[in-house]
Amino acid sequence: MTRGPWLIALVCGSFACGDDLEVTLRVVPSTGIAPLEARLEASVEGAKEGAKLRYRFDLNGDGTYDTEPAEAPVAEFTFGQGPYRPWVEVIDEKGDTHRAFVDITVDPNQPPVPVLEVAPAMGRQPLAVTLDSSKSSDPEGEDPPLEARYDFDADGKFDTEWAPVGSASHVYSVVGAHAPTVEVRDWRGGVASTAASVTVLPGLDLDADMNRDGRISDEDDLNEDVFSTTSGAVFLANVDDDDGDGVQDFRDDVVSGIEDVQDMARLMVRQYQDLPSSSTVRLAIEPAAAASNIRIFGEDGGGNLVEVYAPGSGETALDAGRMAAGDITLYVEGLSGWTQDWDGRAEITLTAERGDDGAIESDKVAMRVAPVIFPDNTRPAETLYVMEITIFDLGPNVPFYRGVMEHTPSEVEIYTVDQIEYLGDRWVQDNMQTGYQVMPTDTGMHVMQTYLETVRSTGDDGLEYLVTDELHGQDHGYFFTGGGETSLNYGGNLEITPPYVDASGTEHPFGRILVGGGAGGTILGRAYEDHMTSRQRAFLDAQIQGPTLELSSEWLLVGHIDEIFLFLPNPSRHNGRDFVVLFASPMLAVSSLEELEAAGLSSEVVFPGRRTQTTVGAILQDDAFLSYQEAVQARIDSVREKLMAEMALTDADILEVPVLYEAHRYFGDDYSAAYVPGIQNLVVLNQTLLVPDPEGPTQNGTDIWQRMTREVLEPLGVTVHFVDVFDSYHLNLGEAHCGTGVRHAPYDAAWWEKE
Amino acid sequence: MRKLAVIIPVLLLAGQAAAAPGAEYEAEKARLTAMGPRGLSLVKARQAESAYSESTWREDVRFDAILFWMERPEQAQRAYDLAGLKPEVYLKKRRPIPEATRELSELGVAPVLFELLLFTKDRYPFATGSAEERAALDDALVVALGRSQHPAAHHALLDLVRDAEQPEHLRSLAAHSLGVHGREQAESTLAELVRDSRLAPEIRHGAVRGLGQVRTARSIGLISSVLLEARTVEMRNVAIRALGSAASPTVLRRRNAPEALRVSASDALVEALRRPEAVEVGDALVETIAVVRHPAAMQKIAALQETELSDAHQDLVSRAAHRLRRALRR
């Protein structure tokens, strides 16, 4: 701003001036543009030294004094546009008044001069246009810079917030003339707007739900060729069975009803009005892995959905005439999820070679099939799968089942697996891992429950058919990567960590898949190696919760990591986390027995009333057994250390319960199994825990192992219920967790927003 | 009375010279049992003369078994009715494989173990008679013998170790069970087996494991020598684990064993850790140093960390130090 010279206006009017005082009023600055912040300064000549004068101002010259009489000879005022004559009145010690005024004219603020350039101003749909307002100017040339906002579709609603003048992008999909508007403002509030013209000619436009709002709209034309955390359409592997024919829906080339359609992601081929019917239109899918794992359906013109793209070919032809007539909706299903051979990404390109001028146009969208996500134990429990066995020959589990029925929270559905159908095969955990796929739709998130079928082969009669023949159905699908040639493939050997940040700072928002296996040999030093099969491991590695982390379990009889630890919810958050890890500890059990011995309770019975009952003293007299506990503890500690290092855990995150182990012999090999019902092998149902009853020795009428377990778990804010697993599960080499499956709620986080 | 040992077999086996050992035994048992109280007296008298020496134990245990049948037939019969060998039981297990070691050990039928081992195993009433069921019975017999207190168990197990007709894994298990049985002669016997280069490695591994159950200064010294002289990774692994068993702090404390045993084992483990080949048996060393958890090892491992080592070796030593520190805190 340019400051003007002093303007001294006078003076003493004819009103009540004192005899010898001369008052002068000036304004600083004396000129400028509205709104003008100025200072009025009065000065007086002829007053006696030390005279006490008081001043009051009529700031805008409207004849009314705006300030009270005060000793300060100054006042501040913001002038709007126009001429002003402010006054000052000086009151001397006698009460006489002396006045002066000054004239000032404030110039008006000139609105900015908006300029809107669009490029290209014309083109075929979808037309990506850059709108540029950077050439807009301020007539006063003042700082700070101008700001602009855009209304792309001239509907009177601005589509962007105020921002410094510059460029913005928008994709126009609707054929016709458009008049985008820019509004520019300067810092004084001066506003001006201008419009430009954009003409969208009919053209090739392939749309998908790129912004994942469940709808396909013009907004989806932005960044449509890239799948990232902010853009890209999602589809599902169509592994459920909507028509109940026992076959996964992706395996046939028909659409099985509206439910099947809902499992598919939509693609929209926009109407291309002036596309000659003689044009050649092709829809291509890349890369090759995607081309082999995608099927696309479309209407046949008679209202039926038929296969328009068969997996494998890589491309298909579309009818130019139909494209000219109207929009075409296509439906995409995946034949596979993420695998080691395919990360699930697909680029679908629509290409048209016009029949008139031979011009070639294309449009591409990026999509990705959903991974299978396996929720961890800390997620809300929805369904508990368990078998009730009452038939004697099948080995009844009545006490266990009764305990489950009694203590399962009401919000959890109990799914009772039929004992006859599966001939008493009670190892539900071994045969499946519950997970889900999810994609956004216009009615919300569409979740397909997706199991990993982890077969425990029994011949023809066991639970290996539970998933495929019974659970498989509408919105319940499954993946199966191969047979159960090793018990390390079973579901009990697959645990999910809760979400965490690892030692390197990497976030695992869906946790990480842990599997058991290794080459560490047996506890007694026999060379031995066993792992989950490479096919299943590779499948798990490929998921968003991968790569898997292998923890030593090869030394265990069944070979599952749930034989030694489990993740639990932790409502208390005493350690600052929502979870803790519960480990079995053989040395904790030995210590507890020695305490009983020291208390003179060596004859206390362990496993009272059971066929295998023994005493505290008998256990402690078995040197081989005791030294074995120390070796097992060391192996468990190795697992614990590895898990702590990976998850950046501290000892505060780990809890221990007493569990003894024993060696079982097979052809000279020694494998460990829980000698005591494995307490840590429990069932997590929200804040309720169904815990294997250890049936330990008592002190003062209390089972010491139950007491120790309660002392560890109850401070977490969970409820502990002991359930009888001894004959029906424990002696058959499993516990409560092994004999159940729990479906937990999906994570709140969207997988597509994560790296 | 001394003559009975000769008289009974001559008396009972007359006319059956060509019969198989099992059949001979069964006939003998049947006849003595049929004799009623007189048979019982005869057998008891014969048992009173049993020395269970290397030369007599086979005869001695015959009468132990017959006497057991005479006095506790129902308990004896349970050895032939092992639930863990029944398909209707083991097929319900998550690893549907027959197994009966604990069950047989806890039956308290040591004499019948010899009967099975020497005479009747081939006639065991298996449901299917599969190789798995037969192997499971063998394993169970060997483990139960080792855990028994029977004075002839040592000879029986040693016979098994020496029997080239038996599978190596069973001979290895028998060697291990010798140590578990833990009679005085076990230490010397196992020392011989460990040094016997004619034996298959697997059998010698079993002998080293057996030494790990003896827990004497000599046995720990022997295992330490094996560890430091072994040429194979597997033997070193076995020796490391055996040292952990031998120097189990809980067992040694409960036995009021001298501190020197643990120190000796700990020193051997740290020495093994010092050697470049330690990285080949790293996990076993780290875990076993934590098992033995002798405080003096901490300083020695800290000194090792100051020496020039390969990266992998340095990492291993650091892991061992970390685990030992945590084990000492536990």
Side-chain angles (χ1 to χ4, degrees):
Chain A
M1 183 191 307
T2 305
R3 294 184 184 277
W6 282 53
L7 179 66
I8 303 174
L10 102 99
V11 156
C12 187
S14 56
F15 322 96
C17 283
D19 297 337
D20 52 358
L21 297 184
E22 183 176 338
V23 180
T24 304
L25 179 63
R26 65 172 184 163
V27 60
V28 181
S30 60
T31 185
I33 300 167
L36 180 66
E37 293 178 358
R39 178 183 173 94
L40 296 162
E41 299 176 349
S43 58
V44 177
E45 288 186 10
K48 291 177 185 174
E49 189 173 346
K52 288 187 178 175
L53 304 177
R54 289 179 296 154
Y55 305 82
R56 61 175 181 171
F57 295 88
D58 171 9
L59 296 167
N60 55 4
D62 63 356
T64 302
Y65 285 99
D66 302 302
T67 67
E68 295 298 319
E71 293 181 4
V74 296
E76 292 180 345
F77 187 61
T78 300
F79 293 96
Q81 173 193 342
Y84 293 89
R85 175 170 285 178
W87 286 82
V88 65
E89 182 179 75
V90 181
I91 307 164
D92 62 19
E93 290 171 318
K94 299 175 186 172
D96 293 338
T97 59
H98 314 268
R99 292 182 177 180
F101 66 86
V102 64
D103 285 324
I104 179 172
T105 299
V106 178
D107 297 328
N109 175 39
Q110 298 298 316
V113 179
V115 174
L116 178 59
E117 295 179 338
V118 293
M122 180 181 291
R124 293 195 179 277
Q125 69 175 145
L127 184 62
V129 174
T130 300
L131 300 91
D132 188 0
S133 60
S134 59
K135 291 184 178 171
S136 301
S137 60
D138 182 357
E140 285 89 13
E142 295 180 309
D143 287 331
L146 302 174
E147 292 182 317
R149 59 178 178 175
Y150 297 91
D151 174 5
F152 297 128
D153 47 6
D155 63 354
K157 296 176 183 172
F158 285 96
D159 300 304
T160 69
E161 299 297 322
W162 287 109
V165 290
S167 62
S169 297
H170 185 68
V171 178
Y172 290 91
S173 298
V174 178
V175 174
H178 300 266
T181 302
V182 67
E183 188 173 71
V184 179
R185 72 177 179 189
D186 61 21
W187 73 274
R188 295 179 184 277
V191 173
S193 63
T194 188
S197 172
V198 172
T199 303
V200 178
L201 303 172
L204 202 64
D205 186 12
L206 177 64
D207 285 342
D209 179 18
M210 302 305 291
N211 61 2
R212 298 123 179 195
D213 66 353
R215 298 182 300 275
I216 295 178
S217 64
D218 287 350
E219 295 168 12
D220 292 309
D221 282 316
L222 279 176
N223 304 316
E224 65 178 356
D225 56 353
V226 176
F227 193 99
S228 69
T229 55
T230 55
S231 72
V234 174
F235 63 109
L236 301 180
N238 199 2
V239 292
D240 71 350
D241 177 20
D242 287 309
D243 56 1
D245 64 355
V247 177
Q248 290 168 301
D249 288 340
F250 78 84
R251 293 188 185 278
D252 57 33
D253 57 4
V254 298
V255 175
S256 307
I258 186 65
E259 295 83 6
D260 199 18
V261 174
Q262 289 167 347
D263 295 334
M264 301 179 195
R266 284 185 303 150
L267 276 179
M268 187 75 78
V269 178
R270 297 291 187 185
Q271 181 180 20
Y272 190 172
Q273 288 174 333
D274 71 348
L275 184 68
S277 60
S278 58
S279 302
T280 302
V281 183
R282 308 201 74 77
L283 194 69
I285 297 156
E286 294 178 308
S292 301
N293 284 297
I294 282 178
R295 190 192 311 277
I296 300 177
F297 294 93
E299 287 183 32
D300 63 358
N304 302 309
L305 288 179
V306 297
E307 182 186 61
V308 297
Y309 171 75
S313 59
E315 66 174 29
T316 189
L318 294 184
D319 182 355
R322 286 191 58 201
M323 284 176 60
D327 290 345
I328 299 174
T329 303
L330 302 175
Y331 301 88
V332 180
E333 70 174 9
L335 280 62
S336 165
W338 295 10
T339 68
Q340 64 272 33
D341 300 320
W342 183 38
D343 65 3
R345 293 175 190 269
E347 291 183 346
I348 301 182
T349 305
L350 182 67
T351 304
E353 182 177 355
R354 292 177 63 87
D356 47 5
D357 57 8
I360 296 176
E361 301 170 49
S362 68
D363 192 22
K364 180 169 74 177
V365 295
M367 305 184 77
R368 194 171 191 189
V369 75
V372 184
I373 300 175
F374 303 101
D376 69 275
N377 277 347
T378 64
R379 298 292 302 156
E382 295 180 337
T383 305
L384 170 69
Y385 301 88
V386 61
M387 181 176 282
E388 178 187 24
I389 311 172
T390 56
I391 299 171
F392 180 78
D393 286 348
L394 298 179
N397 70 345
V398 174
F400 173 75
Y401 185 77
R402 190 184 301 138
V404 168
M405 292 296 287
E406 186 177 346
H407 300 302
T408 296
S410 58
E411 71 271 19
V412 180
E413 174 197 6
I414 296 177
Y415 188 109
T416 300
V417 180
D418 188 78
Q419 59 179 328
I420 297 173
E421 181 74 24
Y422 303 104
L423 287 182
D425 181 3
R426 67 205 64 201
W427 307 112
V428 178
Q429 179 75 209
D430 284 347
N431 287 279
M432 64 181 187
Q433 185 73 23
T434 55
Y436 67 94
Q437 301 177 78
V438 62
M439 70 173 178
T441 69
D442 54 1
T443 56
M445 293 299 156
H446 179 54
V447 174
M448 182 184 288
Q449 305 297 341
T450 305
Y451 306 86
L452 177 63
E453 160 98 336
T454 53
V455 165
R456 172 178 169 274
S457 297
T458 64
D460 291 328
D461 305 321
L463 281 175
E464 56 260 60
Y465 302 106
L466 173 65
V467 168
T468 54
D469 290 6
E470 185 171 326
L471 301 181
H472 188 212
Q474 183 182 330
D475 290 338
H476 287 257
Y478 70 91
F479 285 104
F480 177 49
T481 65
E485 49 267 51
T486 167
S487 61
L488 274 68
N489 255 27
Y490 305 170
N493 195 32
L494 192 165
E495 292 300 318
I496 312 298
T497 76
Y500 70 101
V501 178
D502 69 22
S504 69
T506 302
E507 286 188 39
H508 298 265
F510 302 99
R512 187 169 176 185
I513 300 171
L514 306 177
V515 301
T522 68
I523 290 298
L524 296 177
R526 195 176 174 88
Y528 184 72
E529 178 173 0
D530 200 2
H531 305 273
M532 182 174 281
T533 58
S534 56
R535 293 186 308 277
Q536 184 165 302
R537 181 97 188 264
F539 175 82
L540 295 170
D541 282 342
Q543 305 310 312
I544 198 167
Q545 293 166 302
T548 57
L549 178 69
E550 187 181 59
L551 299 170
S552 175
S553 72
E554 70 282 11
W555 52 281
L556 290 156
L557 179 52
V558 181
H560 292 184
I561 49 179
D562 70 350
E563 294 178 76
I564 54 174
F565 77 88
L566 210 66
F567 291 94
L568 302 186
N570 175 27
S572 77
R573 290 186 55 83
H574 70 282
N575 54 348
R577 297 181 191 270
D578 293 322
F579 68 90
V580 293
V581 197
L582 186 67
F583 270 91
S585 171
M587 289 314 292
L588 187 63
V590 170
S591 299
S592 67
L593 294 177
E594 288 196 305
E595 285 174 20
L596 286 186
E597 180 186 48
L601 298 172
S602 293
S603 59
E604 276 300 313
V605 176
V606 182
F607 316 140
R610 300 295 185 180
R611 184 167 53 83
T612 55
Q613 84 170 31
T614 181
T615 64
V616 171
I619 292 173
L620 291 176
Q621 283 166 15
D622 189 339
D623 290 348
F625 187 77
L626 292 183
S627 62
Y628 191 75
Q629 304 312 310
E630 291 194 297
V632 171
Q633 182 70 65
R635 185 65 64 90
I636 291 176
D637 286 347
S638 290
V639 173
R640 170 179 166 150
E641 292 292 327
K642 188 171 180 180
L643 191 62
M644 290 177 73
E646 160 58 27
M647 296 183 70
L649 302 177
T650 70
D651 286 337
D653 304 317
I654 310 288
L655 302 176
E656 291 182 329
V657 284
V659 181
L660 295 166
Y661 288 79
E662 66 176 329
H664 287 241
R665 298 281 181 177
Y666 292 110
F667 289 96
D669 281 336
D670 57 286
Y671 301 105
S672 293
Y675 176 75
V676 171
I679 296 171
Q680 85 297 333
N681 193 284
L682 51 81
V683 184
V684 180
L685 299 171
N686 303 328
Q687 295 178 13
T688 297
L689 307 182
L690 306 183
V691 184
D693 185 344
E695 306 201 14
T698 59
Q699 185 175 32
N700 301 323
T702 303
D703 180 326
I704 60 160
W705 290 335
Q706 278 196 11
R707 189 194 70 217
M708 293 166 75
T709 302
R710 287 190 187 281
E711 287 173 355
V712 164
L713 297 181
E714 288 179 342
L716 301 179
V718 296
T719 304
V720 173
H721 296 290
F722 289 101
V723 289
D724 179 350
V725 299
F726 206 94
D727 286 334
S728 52
Y729 292 89
H730 172 63
L731 291 182
N732 290 316
L733 306 175
E735 320 287 358
H737 186 254
C738 309
T740 54
V742 178
R743 183 155 56 76
H744 295 276
Y747 291 98
D748 298 328
W751 64 264
W752 48 84
E753 292 176 355
K754 308 300 177 186
E755 292 291 346
Chain B
M1 289 295 289
R2 181 73 185 87
K3 285 188 284 185
L4 276 172
V6 179
I7 291 170
I8 290 177
V10 170
L11 178 75
L12 298 176
L13 301 177
Q16 299 179 35
E24 288 176 12
Y25 167 77
E26 291 292 355
E28 185 177 22
K29 185 170 74 173
R31 292 178 193 190
L32 283 167
T33 304
M35 290 168 72
R38 183 165 167 264
L40 182 62
S41 298
L42 280 171
V43 175
K44 280 187 173 176
R46 169 59 186 82
Q47 191 191 40
E49 294 192 346
S50 292
Y52 304 107
S53 69
E54 190 174 352
S55 59
T56 66
W57 72 271
R58 288 173 179 274
E59 281 299 309
D60 297 341
V61 297
R62 292 165 71 105
F63 295 100
D64 285 357
I66 292 170
L67 181 60
F68 196 92
W69 272 102
M70 289 175 159
E71 294 183 327
R72 288 180 277 180
E74 288 181 4
Q75 193 173 347
Q77 182 58 42
R78 288 171 65 186
Y80 291 85
D81 192 29
L82 294 170
L85 303 186
K86 295 179 178 176
E88 65 269 29
V89 173
Y90 68 72
L91 289 179
K92 286 194 182 70
K93 297 186 178 186
R94 294 172 81 202
R95 282 193 82 160
I97 308 171
E99 203 266 354
T101 54
R102 180 174 161 198
E103 183 183 4
L104 186 57
S105 296
E106 294 179 354
L107 281 182
V109 293
V112 185
L113 302 179
F114 294 100
E115 176 186 271
L116 274 162
L117 187 69
L118 297 175
F119 309 119
T120 61
K121 196 173 68 176
D122 289 343
R123 296 200 297 280
Y124 188 90
F126 291 112
T128 71
S130 67
E132 285 84 0
E133 289 176 0
R134 292 180 183 280
L137 179 60
D138 284 340
D139 285 351
L141 280 171
V142 169
V143 170
L145 278 171
R147 294 185 62 184
S148 77
Q149 299 297 309
H150 197 282
H154 176 88
H155 299 301
L157 290 168
L158 184 57
D159 251 26
L160 273 173
V161 176
R162 296 287 188 201
D163 185 354
E165 302 283 305
Q166 301 294 337
E168 287 182 0
H169 70 79
L170 191 67
R171 297 169 69 190
S172 178
L173 183 59
H176 181 195
S177 294
L178 273 171
V180 174
H181 185 63
R183 289 300 166 106
E184 287 175 9
Q185 58 271 57
E187 183 181 270
S188 300
T189 305
L190 289 167
E192 285 173 25
L193 294 173
V194 168
R195 298 290 182 199
D196 188 347
S197 59
R198 294 166 303 176
L199 290 175
E202 185 172 0
I203 301 168
R204 294 169 69 199
H205 294 165
V208 174
R209 288 191 198 99
L211 278 174
Q213 298 296 331
V214 175
R215 300 188 181 88
T216 61
R218 185 179 173 220
S219 65
I220 288 177
L222 282 167
I223 303 169
S224 301
S225 299
V226 170
L227 168 60
L228 300 175
E229 294 166 11
R231 294 179 183 168
T232 66
V233 170
E234 187 161 16
M235 181 59 100
R236 287 204 296 275
N237 252 320
V238 170
I240 290 166
R241 302 291 185 185
L243 272 180
S245 175
S248 158
T250 303
V251 175
L252 295 183
R253 171 173 50 76
R254 295 181 61 81
R255 281 187 176 190
N256 293 315
E259 172 77 359
L261 296 185
R262 229 170 111 207
V263 172
S264 172
S266 179
D267 285 350
L269 291 166
V270 174
E271 172 59 21
L273 181 66
R274 186 188 65 77
R275 300 184 175 194
E277 59 268 28
V279 293
E280 298 170 342
V281 288
D283 289 343
L285 272 173
V286 167
E287 286 177 6
T288 308
I289 285 171
V291 165
V292 177
R293 57 182 182 279
H294 195 278
M298 198 69 246
Q299 202 170 357
K300 292 169 185 168
I301 295 175
L304 260 186
Q305 288 181 288
E306 301 302 316
T307 60
E308 188 101 353
L309 300 171
S310 69
D311 288 349
H313 200 172
Q314 188 64 251
D315 177 62
L316 173 62
V317 172
S318 297
R319 278 203 297 141
H322 173 73
R323 284 293 298 276
L324 176 57
R325 197 175 302 116
R326 288 179 64 79
L328 289 170
R329 273 212 307 262
R330 179 179 271 276

